[in-house]
Amino acid sequence: RQTQKTCFHGISSSAAPVQVNFVAGQLFALLMAVWFRLYLHPSKTSPFIRHVVATLLGLYLALFCFGWYSVHFLVQSGLSYGVMIFASLEHMHKYCFIVTLGYLIVCQITRVYVFDYGMYSADFTGPMMVITQKITSMAFEIHDGLSKRREGQLTPSQKYLAISRMPSLLEYLSYNCNFMGILAGPTCSYNDYMAFMEGTSYQRRRQESANGKENGKAKQPEPSPKRAVVAKLCTCAISLTTYLSLYRLLPVVRSIDEHFVSNTPFHLQVVYLYLAMLALRPKYYFVWTLADAINNAAGFGFNGYDADGSPRWDLISNLRILDIEFATSFKLFLDNWNIQTAQWLKRVCYERCPVNPTAATFLLSAMWHGVYPGYYLTFVTGIGMTMAARAVRHNIRPYFLVSDSHKRVYDVITWASTQVAICYTVVPFVLLAVGPSLKFYSSWYFCLHLLCLLVVLVLPVKSRRRQARAKEDAAQDEQRDHSSTDNNCNRKDKST
């Protein structure tokens, strides 16, 4: 009963103090962020002082929220830093990945099966998940920057993120445990963080922004994040109010209640599930938007200028709410939900896995989230959903692009299908246990699982890597044809 309260209603008597401490810690971090930007601006102090203050404040917040469990943050960071220093550069990123993710999984197993199964929210492994992202990202970026890999083997993003020197211990701890992101992230690249701490991020983004040059912004002083922070805090207030108002009225667990299932028409069950998930999402909107506002208040997150010359503060934003709610495909939903985690999965797994990168990415995401069986059911289902959505998009969408009216009909259908598919997929993520999750899927007769299997079998589609290889092969064949034609022409010229 207590587990159900925690999992489905979000707050239990034992979890409430931790959640209160979390919110209080984030509000304290927001105040410290404003002070940090005003009084420890790079123009007023050295990067060393900024790193020391950011790290000490971060460790204080961790101790305040999680007590001595926060020592795991230092142990995980210390073990990984030792691997970075002492392992060979060629294999350092692999060893670091195994050690960091392995330590996280051990802590998750201990927390779930030793301490309190069902304590879903606001636990000490939450910050460790973000630290895991940062450490593994850094390890791969160091490998890209310092190993003997040829520059042509790196993608443009890997070249941009590559680290050219080994970070010092202070820089490493500051990146992992700074007060702006210790509690809720989001993940950012090491180079972006160092540019912010050293005071070069504004110039760097300004030079990259073509609009900044065209609109004369290069001559203006560093933009203030005040407007962006206020807007994001308003979003936080609306999200929190919505969540607290609705989450008790629309619990997801009602979807597996026998009386509800047997006495409610199926189409109303679908509507209820959509509304229940809609009421659950504002909790994440609140946490991630507040974390983004804290970083912006400290001056971190500037990302150039819009077309109209307005400054953008979305460099490390974790979600786009309107794009989530009006997503017309499974991919669009995932691309706008937990953005920095999606980027991390892409950089450390999808771009580097030689075999079935889609399945490997979903499996890594499940392992990173924790050890609850519901996570694995969700992400295994997500693999099928992604493959089916990709097949539909490649085979059916072109028929609806003949006119604007057909395109609008297609968008409405795919929006409804996407929302239902997302709700269906993430129910085990909320229910956590195997029994309730299978009970839900069986009440739906596993219909979307079977539909995805049918779509994948009937509408096969090449993977993106195969398509890219096919394009490369075609380009090479064309180049060979051109070269052979040129050689033939040259021979004819010589003979004449």
Side-chain angles (χ1 to χ4, degrees), residues 282-337:
K283 176 175 66 174
Y284 299 96
Y285 296 166
F286 167 75
V287 172
W288 289 336
T289 306
L290 179 58
D292 195 16
I294 292 169
N295 282 272
N296 291 168
F300 186 30
F302 175 71
N303 197 24
Y305 294 94
D306 286 328
D308 61 356
S310 301
R312 294 165 48 201
W313 289 90
D314 60 352
L315 177 64
I316 55 174
S317 294
N318 227 356
L319 76 167
R320 303 182 189 96
I321 296 177
L322 293 180
D323 291 334
I324 289 170
E325 299 300 342
F326 294 101
T328 56
S329 72
F330 205 82
K331 180 182 182 301
L332 282 178
F333 189 101
L334 296 180
D335 285 347
N336 293 288
W337 173 270

Side-chain angles (χ1 to χ4, degrees), residues 40 47 83 111 120-121 138 229 239 283 333 337 354 376 381 392 440 491:
L40 292 183
V83 172
R111 179 185 66 83
Y120 173 73
S121 53
M138 179 189 292
V229 171
S239 300
K283 176 175 66 174
F333 189 101
W337 173 270
Y376 291 85
T381 303
V392 169
F440 168 77
R491 289 172 184 172

Side-chain angles (χ1 to χ4, degrees), residues 167-405:
S168 68
L169 180 59
L170 176 60
E171 293 168 340
Y172 175 80
L173 290 176
S174 174
Y175 173 62
N176 288 334
C177 302
N178 66 81
F179 73 97
M180 299 171 292
I182 185 66
L183 298 184
T187 299
C188 60
S189 77
Y190 176 78
N191 285 340
D192 286 333
Y193 180 75
M194 288 301 296
F196 158 69
M197 295 300 283
E198 294 171 357
T200 60
S201 59
Y202 173 64
Q203 291 81 3
R204 183 182 184 185
R205 292 291 166 180
R206 185 184 62 187
Q207 291 172 359
E208 294 172 0
S209 175
N211 293 323
K213 297 176 182 178
E214 293 170 2
N215 296 326
K217 293 290 181 181
K219 299 179 181 179
Q220 294 191 12
E222 182 177 338
S224 170
K226 180 179 178 180
R227 181 176 295 182
V229 171
V230 170
K232 291 175 182 179
L233 291 179
C234 291
T235 301
C236 289
I238 295 171
S239 300
L240 184 61
T241 303
T242 303
Y243 173 68
L244 294 177
S245 302
L246 297 178
Y247 80 97
R248 289 187 183 275
L249 299 175
L250 299 165
V252 177
V253 70
R254 188 175 296 165
S255 297
I256 59 173
D257 180 75
E258 293 182 3
H259 182 268
F260 175 81
V261 173
S262 60
N263 292 279
T264 306
F266 183 72
H267 67 280
L268 293 182
Q269 293 183 42
V270 174
V271 172
Y272 177 83
L273 181 63
Y274 168 71
L275 294 177
M277 289 299 179
L278 193 65
L280 193 63
R281 286 199 286 265
K283 176 175 66 174
Y284 299 96
Y285 296 166
F286 167 75
V287 172
W288 289 336
T289 306
L290 179 58
D292 195 16
I294 292 169
N295 282 272
N296 291 168
F300 186 30
F302 175 71
N303 197 24
Y305 294 94
D306 286 328
D308 61 356
S310 301
R312 294 165 48 201
W313 289 90
D314 60 352
L315 177 64
I316 55 174
S317 294
N318 227 356
L319 76 167
R320 303 182 189 96
I321 296 177
L322 293 180
D323 291 334
I324 289 170
E325 299 300 342
F326 294 101
T328 56
S329 72
F330 205 82
K331 180 182 182 301
L332 282 178
F333 189 101
L334 296 180
D335 285 347
N336 293 288
W337 173 270
N338 206 353
I339 297 171
Q340 302 307 320
T341 295
Q343 290 293 324
W344 170 71
L345 291 168
K346 177 183 176 183
R347 291 165 182 166
V348 304
C349 184
Y350 188 84
E351 292 181 344
R352 303 174 191 267
C353 183
V355 179
N356 203 340
T358 299
T361 301
F362 275 99
L363 178 60
L364 173 59
S365 184
M367 295 172 63
W368 174 78
H369 274 91
V371 294
Y372 290 112
Y375 296 160
Y376 291 85
L377 286 173
T378 286
F379 289 107
V380 169
T381 303
I383 296 173
M385 291 289 180
T386 300
M387 295 174 64
R390 190 179 295 166
V392 169
R393 182 176 180 83
H394 281 78
N395 291 277
I396 296 178
R397 185 173 180 268
Y399 294 103
F400 286 87
L401 299 180
V402 294
S403 67
D404 291 338
S405 59

